[in-house]
Amino acid sequence: VEALLNADLVVASGCGLITDAFKINAGRWLDMLGVAIRCGIPTAMLGQGLGPIQDQELLERFVRTVPCVDAILIRENGAGLDLLKQARVPETKIFVTGDDAVELAYGEKRAVGGNQIGINLRIARYAELDEKIPEHFRNLLVEKARQYQCVLTGIPILRDGGASDLQTLQLLLDAKNTGEELDTPLKVIRRVSDCRVVVTGSYHAGVFALAQGIPVVAIIQSAYYRDKFQGLAEQFGCGCIVLQADDAEFLKKLGTAIDELWAQAGELKPKLLAAAERQIQSAQSAYAKLPALLRS
């Protein structure tokens, strides 16, 4: 409490937390921001992936608090921006910046593309993916690796807890390729650099790839990931194919998507890098405005 009340700026930093799937923690964040606002302390929300919010209690808290935040930096247009408009947040407070990790990943881009297929699959409550998916998924991946004479390599993002990406990758890949040794974001980004295409159910594996000019097949099931990946696809404009996992023709569409992106990877790279550059410029411009908010 003392740290909060003595702050010159209270910041909610980047993540996709304010959504029904994380209602309790989202409520705590909104409470923290609400206290700061009532005490006259400037506030900012950075790198936010917002929504979806169907829970009425959480929505009411969001609508009550967020319009009073001084600056809101969001990852993409689309669902998050619609939610802010629903809450009647003034447009002057909203900045669309892309994800905060775009700049870090962009800095690791390579002139010559990789030749692997990166794999991530998020089996978690909020992803709503059927735990049987890896059984069917693996056979297709092995077939594609054989077709393109390439390595399947793990891109783990979430490493701890019951929803660990490593646990799922162990079901899909050879033990040496799960990426268990990748224990920092930069190590993961550099592994992504080895890829020509990334197939992922985790948002940041997609960010790390697209920001380096590497196309992505995104696998979704829940509304939470639908909003995240559709927003990401919109930010980059091309090179991100979003597939619904419960589609009756999912595996067929997945195979086709991998084939298309593998063939188009060279053509897509400069377009994706240009999109990453635009997002970096937007983020730097928005962050440059934050010092003016500081309480004197």
Side-chain angles (χ1 to χ4, degrees):
V1 171
E2 183 179 357
L4 174 64
L5 297 180
N6 286 314
D8 298 310
L9 177 66
V10 173
V11 168
S13 62
C15 67
L17 181 72
I18 299 185
T19 181
D20 293 340
F22 307 113
K23 176 182 175 180
I24 294 175
N25 285 332
R28 290 170 178 162
W29 262 31
L30 293 172
D31 286 347
M32 175 193 70
L33 291 168
V35 169
I37 290 164
R38 289 192 294 275
C39 292
I41 303 169
T43 54
M45 300 171 68
L46 311 179
Q48 294 295 302
L50 299 172
I53 303 177
Q54 298 296 325
D55 183 274
Q56 193 60 36
E57 180 185 1
L58 180 59
L59 183 60
E60 289 174 359
R61 295 170 80 175
F62 180 86
V63 170
R64 186 168 61 244
T65 303
V66 173
C68 300
V69 173
D70 295 292
I72 304 169
L73 281 57
I74 58 175
R75 295 171 176 172
E76 63 272 322
N77 291 299
L81 184 58
D82 290 343
L83 191 57
L84 292 176
K85 290 179 178 179
Q86 180 183 347
R88 297 185 178 179
V89 176
E91 291 185 7
T92 55
K93 294 183 176 184
I94 303 170
F95 305 89
V96 181
T97 62
D99 188 84
D100 285 344
V102 167
E103 185 170 1
L104 180 65
Y106 177 84
E108 296 298 317
K109 66 187 182 299
R110 297 179 186 173
V112 178
N115 196 45
Q116 300 181 10
I117 299 178
I119 305 298
N120 174 286
L121 195 61
R122 177 63 52 82
I123 303 295
R125 171 184 55 83
Y126 52 87
E128 298 180 9
L129 284 177
D130 189 329
E131 293 186 4
K132 294 182 180 179
I133 280 182
E135 299 175 15
H136 312 292
F137 193 53
R138 187 179 192 282
N139 293 335
L140 176 65
L141 296 177
V142 170
E143 176 189 330
K144 290 301 171 186
R146 187 181 301 116
Q147 177 181 343
Y148 293 113
Q149 298 182 329
C150 70
V151 173
L152 299 172
T153 188
I155 310 295
I157 302 297
L158 181 63
R159 297 179 55 88
D160 303 314
S164 168
D165 293 343
L166 286 172
Q167 293 178 6
T168 305
L169 289 169
Q170 287 167 3
L171 301 175
L172 294 171
L173 307 175
D174 294 336
K176 64 180 180 179
N177 294 332
T178 60
E180 187 171 1
E181 74 281 8
L182 306 177
D183 56 1
T184 71
L186 196 55
K187 288 180 182 178
V188 177
I189 288 168
R190 288 172 176 166
R191 176 61 58 83
V192 172
S193 303
D194 295 331
C195 300
R196 184 178 177 91
V197 173
V198 167
V199 179
T200 180
S202 170
Y203 175 82
H204 275 99
V207 172
F208 294 164
L210 293 167
Q212 295 186 75
I214 299 165
V216 165
V217 183
I219 299 171
I220 65 167
Q221 180 63 56
S222 66
Y224 175 66
Y225 271 110
R226 178 199 63 213
D227 287 357
K228 287 162 75 78
F229 274 121
Q230 288 182 349
L232 187 63
E234 183 178 337
Q235 281 296 100
F236 281 90
C238 64
C240 183
I241 298 175
V242 182
L243 299 180
Q244 190 81 21
D246 62 352
D247 188 314
E249 296 187 325
F250 167 68
L251 289 177
K252 179 180 178 181
K253 291 181 178 180
L254 176 59
T256 300
I258 292 173
D259 291 341
E260 289 179 1
L261 295 181
W262 187 275
Q264 298 170 11
E267 176 186 345
L268 290 169
K269 188 179 184 71
K271 299 176 183 178
L272 293 172
L273 291 177
E277 290 164 3
R278 289 193 295 271
Q279 292 172 70
I280 292 167
Q281 292 169 2
S282 296
Q284 290 177 346
S285 176
Y287 270 88
K289 301 179 187 299
L290 296 180
L293 299 179
L294 290 172
R295 181 171 64 172
S296 59

